[in-house]
Every structure is written in structure tokens, then in C-alpha cells.
Amino acid sequence: MDNSQKVTKGNSAASFAAESDKKLKKVLTFQDLFFLSMGGIIGSGWLLGVAAGASAAGPASILSWIIGGVIVLFIALTLAEVAGAIPKSGAIVRYPHLTYGSYTGFILGWAYLLGAVTTPTIEAEAVLTYVATYVPDLFRTVSGVSVLTPIGILFGVGLLGAFFLLNWFGIKFLGKFNSIATWWKFILPVTTFIFLLFMFNKSNFVSYGGFAPLGTGSIFYAIPAAGIIFSYLGFRQAVEFGGEAKNPQRDIPRATILSIIAAMALYSLLQLAFIGAIKWPAGISWANLTSSDLGTSPFFTELKYSGIALFGAFANLLLIDAWISPSGTGWIYLGTSSRVLYGMGADGYLPSALLKIHSKTKVPYIALIASLVIGIFFFLPFPSWYLFVGFSTSATVLTYIISPVALQVFRKNAPQLKRSFKLSYAGIIAPIAFIGGALIVYWSGITTLTMITYATLIGIPIFYFVYVTKKLGISKLFAYTFGIVGLIVSITGIILNYLYVLYAPAGESMTMKTSVFLSTLIVSALIFVAGTVMTGKRLSGEKKIIFTSSYWLFALIFLTDLVSYFGSFGNGVIPFPWDTLLMAVIYGIIYVFAIRAGYKTEDLQKIIEEQYELPIIPENSEDK
């Protein structure tokens, strides 16, 4: 008897997940959920995002915060209806599964996992970036970028260990402790904004290259690349911890929407104040702002050297807050990433051991330990906040496009679901949310986007190794052969693009770069789409649909990477804004096909029956 059978006593992963969900403590109030979301939002973004935004777009970065906030608000509105109807811990990786079945569910779950498990590491790096103000040995400069030294990495591992312990003590402790910390995290930014207004210099908005010194396109590039969307995405904590809420259907939508609105106001005002208070160091411009002291400790530097004693004293509180704000976000996200692993275990994608709940603290402790180990690993390839934030943002947003689609699919296939919040004008808001979310991924630029594309594709072979043979009855010869080929193709794609396209040797011709990029992308598209088609042909019924319903996602991934290379965020053959308009049209078409591809999965039917306490009739399916 395997481990899953020992734990579930013969039941499916979905049945075991239902039992595990019941063991989670339902203790979080509306205030707890709101503060979890605000605690996720007010982290390293407020300490470092303003400098990154100004460096990417100059004074126009204020518009970046507003535009990014509106897009995230639209996504959050659609997610609020979905989460209010189906509140689950690890929810965002479970909604694709309920909408399209296991294949699309796994791909998007894998992409979301890439974003979720990396965030605690990013927040630990943010803490160390500020700490380097008085402990310079934590960082060294490599090719103009400050990266962690071995000692810095060791300190980062220690921070992750502290995040782990806070989660280990249980969800009730985490919720109450976080509420206290979030009050501090809210008061400090507001006070900083007020003080900086006394140093406001309006000439900073017009005298150093104008309002948009790096071009109009930079406004949109800054949204994913400068940590703007990364900051906003903390709103999802109310959704992720939904399975542990007292009144989830009422409180999740309210906490989610209110947190976005509050964050938009706070961050836009902070960006305004930061730009107005800059005193320009010699040789520093908008483009290299983050290489100065303003990049290491933006608000601390402005207040410390303001010439006003009160402000200089207050600046020291920011060094304390540099521990509290990112750490607060980090410990929340470590809990979030454990819920993502829990959700993927619940869907049967990963071992059922991830569903184990600790008998005393009632947390998914195996998933929590796994999150800690994975987070530690990511210190190595991304030893800098500025290097890491774009990757994590794009991986996460790629999965957020599921919420507007899920809203429409659930309305079509499960109209009887109990909805505490029903979004008005969903026919307008949902497609805008989908297109806006997809554009955020497109705006991240060809370097980040290419890494995300191949990192996401690496997850597909894992699906074939772990899931296909056990759950779908596909022969091991076919599944393992395709898995190995897919793994080789995706890893080769990362290596070749890294060496010859993204970081090509000096003097390499554009022809060579384009040839390598197109050949790897075309081969990858052919291999993965052909493998999906062939797998579908070997199945029937719902097992076949889970593969045929995935084509829209492949179209989105490969077309985004293709146009990005030739667009204004790549080599500029298609100038801004025409490339963005082209992608908006493409995403609109994909959205229509994505809605049509959704269907009533067996697990969605089970949820409907559970809500109405109807008898569940077992059926043969992929999840049995």
C-alpha cells in the first residue's frame, strides 16, 4: 500500500483533501483577512518599489502604480466572486483544476508555485538590502548590481527560518500577530509620506528629462519589472487563507477589494512624495537611480540627509521597519506557498503527504517544510531583490488570468453555486481583467518573459512523470518518453536563450539572436502541443477534455513570447503602442476560446453537491 493509500484509506486525493480541509481551523475574521492582505501588500514594495519604479519610468511611475492598481482591482473583483463561491485554502491553484481539469490546472498551478515559493526569499533579500546600510558585508557589486555574499545568504536563510516558526505556531497565532504588525506597517508609510511633503521639490517632475524621461512605454514596463504588481499581489492572502475563515463567503470579497483600494492610494502617494523629495547625487540619473544610496535605502536616505533633525531621527525607524515590513510579508507568503503546495496535493498533482495537518497547530506542516527548503534554494540563482522581482511577478500574474475566466465558466457550468458576492457588469470587467493581466506579463520584457516561458514548460514533464500514468492510465513508455523529451527541450531552451539571446556575447549579430530565439520557441511549441494532442487521442470522455481544453493556454504562452521578442519590450521591430494593441487583440481572442474550453469538471460537480448536501455518485474519472 503506497503512502497515499495509507493516509486516505483508499480514497482519492480529492476525498482526502476534503477531509483535510475540514481539519483546518475556521478562526479568521474579516479584520484578520484584511490585515493578511494588507500585510502581504505592504512589504518590500514600499521600501524598494518606489526607487525601482522611478528608475524604470521617472516621475511617470506614479501612473504605473495607478494603472497597475486598476488592473489588479479588476482581477480582484473577478476573484472575489469565485473565492466567495468556493473558498478553499490554496485556492488559486485549485480554481484552474475545477475549470479545466488536471492538465491546465497543473500548468497554471506550477507557474503560480514558481511565484509563491520565491516571494519569502525576495522579502528576506529586501530586509538584507536595508540592513546593508549598516552591515555592508552582506552585499557585493557584480556587473553593476548588488548581490548577496555568502554571509548575506546565510543571514537570509536565518530569516526564512524565523518565517517558518511564525507559521508553525498555527493560523490563529499568525492571524493575530500579523494584525498587530500590519498596524505598524501602515503607520510608518503614512508618516513617511507626510514628512517627505515638507521636502517636496516640484522641479523633479519636469527638470530632469520631463515627466516621462524614459519614454511612454516605460510606464507599462515598470508595472511588472519594478515590483509594482509584485507589491499589489499581496491582496490574494485573503483568498489563499479562505479555508480558515469564519465567514469566508462574506468576508473574502470585502477584504480583497478593500485591500486593493487602500494600497492604490498608499503607493501612489508614496511614489509622488519620493520623487518630489529627491536630492540628486552627482552622476545619478533616473536610469541608474537604483545604483546609488537611493536604491539601497530610498526613504532612509532622503530623510536622513534632509537637514531636519526630526526627519533624521525618524529615518532610524525605517531601518527597524526594514525588518518588520518585508518580514511581515515574508512570513505570510511562506504560509501562502505552503497552501499552494497543499492545494496541488489536494488536486492530486503532488504527493498526498503535503495534505497532512499537524495535530496540534492544525497547519499543513509537510507543505510548510517543503516551502522553506525551496525558498532557501532560490537565494542562489537570484541573489538580489531587483533581479528577482520581475520573475516572481510575471510567474504569478500568468496564473491570475484564470479568475476572470473561471468566473464566466462557473456561471455557465455551475449557475447554482452559492455566491455571497456576484460581480455586476462581469461581461465587461472579466475580459478587461483577463487582457490587463496578460498584458502585465507581456510588459515584463523579453528577458523575464523567456525565462518564465521555459520555467513553466519544465512543469509539464513533471506532470507526465507524476500524474499521467497513475491517474489517467497512459502507458509509462509514452508518458516517460514525452516527459524526458519535453524536459530536454525546455532546459535546452533556457540555456540557449540565456547564452545567445538574452545575455549574448558582445558583437553577436541580431540574425544569430533571432535564429536561436525562433528555433527554440518553434521546437518547444511543436513538441509540447504535439505531445498534448497525442495524449488526448489516447483518452476519451473527460480524460480527453482535460488535454483538448488546454490549447488556449499554449497559444497565450507562445504568442506572448513571440511578439515580445519583436515588440517594444524586445528588439523594437513593432513599436509601442502598436505591439500592446496587437497583444490586446490577441488576448481578447484567446479569452473567448478560453471561456469555450471550460467545462463542468467532476470536482466542480462535487462542490455543487456538497453545497446543497446532495448525494455524491462516484464516477470513473481522471481523479479517481
Side-chain angles (χ1 to χ4, degrees):
M1 180 179 291
D2 62 22
N3 184 59
S4 174
Q5 289 173 320
K6 291 178 181 178
V7 174
T8 65
K9 299 179 181 181
N11 291 332
S12 66
S15 300
F16 182 42
E19 292 302 314
S20 295
D21 285 345
K22 294 176 183 177
K23 295 178 183 178
L24 296 171
K25 286 187 176 180
K26 318 293 184 181
V27 296
L28 298 179
T29 64
F30 164 73
Q31 178 178 302
D32 293 331
L33 293 172
F34 173 72
F35 277 121
L36 279 168
S37 286
M38 286 305 296
I41 290 171
I42 306 175
S44 59
W46 101 266
L47 291 168
L48 299 175
V50 291
S55 183
S61 55
I62 297 170
L63 297 180
S64 302
W65 285 101
I66 295 172
I67 294 169
V70 170
I71 293 174
V72 171
L73 178 60
F74 276 34
I75 294 173
L77 286 169
T78 62
L79 184 58
E81 176 175 318
V82 175
I86 308 176
K88 296 285 185 181
S89 285
I92 292 177
V93 297
R94 298 170 81 168
Y95 294 144
H97 180 89
L98 296 172
T99 311
Y100 296 102
S102 57
Y103 190 46
T104 301
F106 181 88
I107 296 172
L108 290 174
W110 174 260
Y112 186 69
L113 183 63
L114 291 174
V117 299
T118 56
T119 302
T121 308
I122 293 176
E123 297 299 338
E125 289 177 346
V127 173
L128 298 177
T129 300
Y130 257 77
V131 171
T133 302
Y134 49 90
V135 187
D137 291 341
L138 297 179
F139 283 86
R140 59 190 174 91
T141 301
V142 177
S143 301
V145 179
S146 293
V147 299
L148 287 168
T149 62
I151 295 176
I153 292 176
L154 185 62
F155 270 84
V157 172
L159 276 173
L160 288 184
F163 299 165
F164 172 84
L165 291 176
L166 282 169
N167 279 273
W168 184 264
F169 286 119
I171 187 62
K172 185 174 183 179
F173 173 83
L174 176 64
K176 299 306 178 186
F177 186 86
N178 179 73
S179 294
I180 297 171
T182 301
W183 275 113
W184 165 279
K185 291 168 63 176
F186 186 76
I187 292 171
L188 262 288
V190 171
T191 306
T192 299
F193 163 72
I194 293 172
F195 283 176
L196 290 180
L197 288 182
F198 288 95
M199 304 162 54
F200 196 82
N201 180 6
K202 64 181 180 181
S203 66
N204 284 343
F205 292 85
V206 294
S207 300
Y208 299 90
F211 185 69
L214 302 173
T216 306
S218 66
I219 298 173
F220 301 94
Y221 172 74
I223 293 174
I228 290 173
I229 291 299
F230 173 79
S231 301
Y232 281 130
L233 292 181
F235 83 85
R236 71 180 184 257
Q237 307 310 322
V239 177
E240 289 293 355
F241 287 90
E244 291 138 287
K246 282 185 176 180
N247 193 337
Q249 292 183 319
R250 182 195 67 188
D251 292 341
I252 291 174
R254 292 195 302 157
T256 299
I257 295 168
L258 184 59
S259 67
I260 292 291
I261 295 173
M264 284 178 63
L266 178 64
Y267 277 119
S268 298
L269 291 174
L270 282 170
Q271 186 73 67
L272 175 75
F274 171 77
I275 292 171
I278 292 176
K279 292 183 178 180
W280 289 94
I284 297 299
S285 64
W286 293 114
N288 64 0
L289 192 67
T290 56
S291 64
S292 69
D293 288 342
L294 287 167
T296 303
S297 49
F299 293 121
F300 172 82
T301 300
E302 288 187 330
L303 291 168
K304 188 70 175 178
Y305 301 104
S306 64
I308 302 173
L310 174 62
F311 294 177
F314 177 79
N316 293 317
L317 286 179
L318 296 183
L319 295 181
I320 299 173
D321 185 62
W323 286 88
I324 296 175
S325 287
S327 294
T329 303
W331 73 58
I332 291 172
Y333 271 92
L334 191 67
T336 297
S337 61
S338 69
R339 269 64 177 183
V340 174
L341 289 169
Y342 176 94
M344 295 186 76
D347 288 334
Y349 302 147
L350 296 177
S352 59
L354 294 170
L355 296 172
K356 290 184 177 180
I357 305 297
H358 194 274
S359 59
K360 293 183 178 179
T361 62
K362 303 300 181 183
V363 297
Y365 68 99
I366 299 296
L368 186 60
I369 294 171
S371 297
L372 173 66
V373 173
I374 296 171
I376 291 172
F377 168 79
F378 273 101
F379 276 117
L380 300 178
F382 296 103
S384 166
W385 190 92
Y386 293 107
L387 291 175
F388 207 168
V389 70
F391 176 91
S392 180
T393 296
S394 298
T396 304
V397 174
L398 178 62
T399 64
Y400 271 62
I401 59 175
I402 193 61
S403 60
V405 174
L407 182 151
Q408 298 289 27
V409 172
F410 289 164
R411 284 191 178 187
K412 180 178 69 174
N413 295 316
Q416 65 272 60
L417 277 176
K418 297 177 182 178
R419 293 172 172 83
S420 60
F421 171 77
K422 189 166 184 179
L423 180 63
S424 300
Y425 305 106
I428 298 174
I429 294 176
I432 292 175
F434 180 89
I435 294 170
L439 283 174
I440 289 172
V441 179
Y442 173 74
W443 292 330
S444 64
I446 187 60
T447 300
T448 297
L449 189 54
T450 298
M451 300 302 288
I452 289 297
T453 296
Y454 290 100
T456 301
L457 293 178
I458 285 176
I460 297 178
I462 295 175
F463 177 79
Y464 275 78
F465 294 146
V466 175
Y467 190 92
V468 168
T469 56
K470 295 180 180 179
K471 301 290 184 177
L472 304 181
I474 295 290
S475 70
K476 289 184 178 180
L477 177 62
F478 174 81
Y480 291 175
T481 299
F482 175 65
I484 292 171
V485 171
L487 195 61
I488 293 173
V489 167
S490 53
I491 292 176
T492 302
I494 289 179
I495 294 173
L496 291 180
N497 277 279
Y498 186 91
L499 294 177
Y500 299 104
V501 181
L502 308 179
Y503 300 99
E508 173 136 357
S509 69
M510 182 59 67
T511 301
M512 174 59 74
K513 291 180 181 179
T514 302
S515 297
V516 172
F517 175 82
L518 288 178
S519 60
T520 53
L521 188 67
I522 291 171
V523 169
S524 297
L526 290 175
I527 291 296
F528 284 102
V529 173
T532 301
V533 172
M534 289 189 291
T535 305
K537 289 183 177 297
R538 285 168 165 73
L539 301 167
S540 61
E542 183 173 332
K543 291 182 179 180
K544 181 175 183 177
I545 296 174
I546 67 171
F547 289 92
T548 59
S549 64
S550 68
Y551 298 141
W552 67 271
L553 181 57
F554 283 110
L556 185 145
I557 291 172
F558 290 117
L559 286 176
T560 299
D561 205 22
L562 177 65
V563 177
S564 179
Y565 181 79
F566 293 103
S568 61
F569 303 97
N571 60 27
V573 173
I574 309 174
F576 182 86
W578 301 113
D579 60 329
T580 292
L581 293 175
L582 172 62
M583 289 311 301
V585 173
I586 290 174
Y587 292 143
I589 295 171
I590 291 174
Y591 172 78
V592 173
F593 281 95
I595 298 297
R596 295 179 61 183
Y599 65 100
K600 183 186 289 186
T601 61
E602 182 195 6
D603 286 335
L604 178 57
Q605 178 61 32
K606 287 181 179 179
I607 288 174
I608 295 171
E609 292 167 344
E610 288 171 359
Q611 284 193 359
Y612 288 91
E613 297 182 350
L614 299 174
I616 299 175
I617 302 174
E619 298 178 8
N620 292 325
S621 78
E622 52 165 36
D623 296 316
K624 291 291 179 182

